[in-house]
Amino acid sequence: EIVLTQSPGTLSLSPGERATLSCRASQSISSTYLAWYQQKPGQAPRLLVYGASSRATGIPDRFSGSGSGTDFTLTISRLEPEDFAVYYCQQYFSSHTFGQGTKLEIK
Amino acid sequence: QVQLVQSGPEVKKPGSSVKVSCKASGDTFSRYSIHWVRQDPGQGLEWLGRTIPILGESNYALKFQGRVSIFADTSTSTVSMGLSSLRSEDTAVYFCVTSYGSGVSPFDYWGQGTPVTVSS
C-alpha cells in the first residue's frame, strides 16, 4: 500500500499570507494520479486539484499544485478567510489512499 | 451537476451488519463509477471499494474483502454498501463518491455522509 505523509500537521497563518502544504509518498507515483481535497467542518471533502497540478472546476487560481515522483505540494498564494480548513492529498495510482491531513488555521 | 443523497444515521451492535444507500441524480450511473470512502473520528479517510454501474462490476480494498459488498440498482439509480461483522473501529462517517468513467479518476462529487456508530 502506498502511504502518503503530509506535513506540517497544523499550519498557522494569517489571511493574505502564502501557504505551502507538502505530501510525500512512500513510493514513486505518476503525477497523473495525485489529488488534493479541502474539507471544512461538517462538510464532505471537495476536490481542488487533480493530476498533481490541474485545478478542478470552479477552483480559484490562488490554489496551485506541483510535484512529481514522491514529493508533491499544494500552494495557496494569498490566503482568504474561507481557505482555513483541513487539506488532504490522495493517490489513485495504486488503489486509493489518503494522507492524514494538514489543518490550516488562522494565526 | 451530480447529486448524491445518502440514507440516514445508523447505530449498530458489534457483530451485526449495516447497509447504507446512496441515490444518484440524472444519468450519473451511465458516466461515473461510485465509490465508498469512510472517515473515522480521528479524521482519517479510507477507501472501501467501488462499483461501475454500467458494467455491473465491483472491486474492494484488500482490507475489507469478505466484509463489504457494493451493489448498484440501475432501476432506482441507487448504490448500496453493506458492511458485516461490525466492530467499534468501523464507527465512522461513510461517504459515497463519484469518479468519472470506469477507469482511474479523482473523486469529484461527494454525498453528504452517513454516520455509522458501532456500540454495545
Side-chain angles (χ1 to χ4, degrees), chain B residues 12-115:
Chain B
K12 294 293 182 179
K13 300 284 189 189
S16 67
S17 299
V18 68
K19 182 179 175 182
V20 183
S21 66
C22 170
K23 185 171 177 60
S25 62
D27 63 348
T28 302
F29 272 24
S30 65
R31 297 185 294 144
Y32 289 87
S33 298
I34 310 292
H35 303 249
W36 287 90
V37 173
R38 74 181 187 182
Q39 186 166 37
D40 60 46
Q43 302 291 293
L45 291 161
E46 192 169 28
W47 180 77
L48 285 79
R50 76 157 178 181
T51 188
I52 307 171
I54 58 169
L55 299 180
E57 295 178 359
S58 299
N59 57 288
Y60 307 113
L62 282 175
K63 174 180 177 178
F64 298 102
Q65 282 187 6
R67 271 212 309 146
V68 68
S69 64
I70 298 174
F71 172 74
D73 183 342
T74 55
S75 68
T76 60
S77 295
T78 299
V79 174
S80 297
M81 184 279 299
L83 188 63
S84 62
S85 302
L86 290 170
R87 34 213 189 226
S88 59
E89 309 90 88
D90 295 317
T91 294
V93 177
Y94 289 74
F95 294 98
C96 61
V97 191
T98 64
S99 68
Y100 189 76
S102 58
V104 182
S105 301
F107 296 160
D108 42 13
Y109 296 99
W110 295 64
Q112 83 275 18
T114 296

Side-chain angles (χ1 to χ4, degrees), chain A residues 46-79:
Chain A
R46 176 175 73 144
L47 178 65
L48 295 176
V49 169
Y50 63 94
S53 60
S54 297
R55 277 187 300 276
T57 303
I59 302 303
D61 60 8
R62 64 180 181 272
F63 290 91
S64 63
S66 63
S68 64
T70 60
D71 291 301
F72 299 88
T73 300
L74 176 71
T75 302
I76 310 171
S77 58
R78 293 172 308 279
L79 285 166

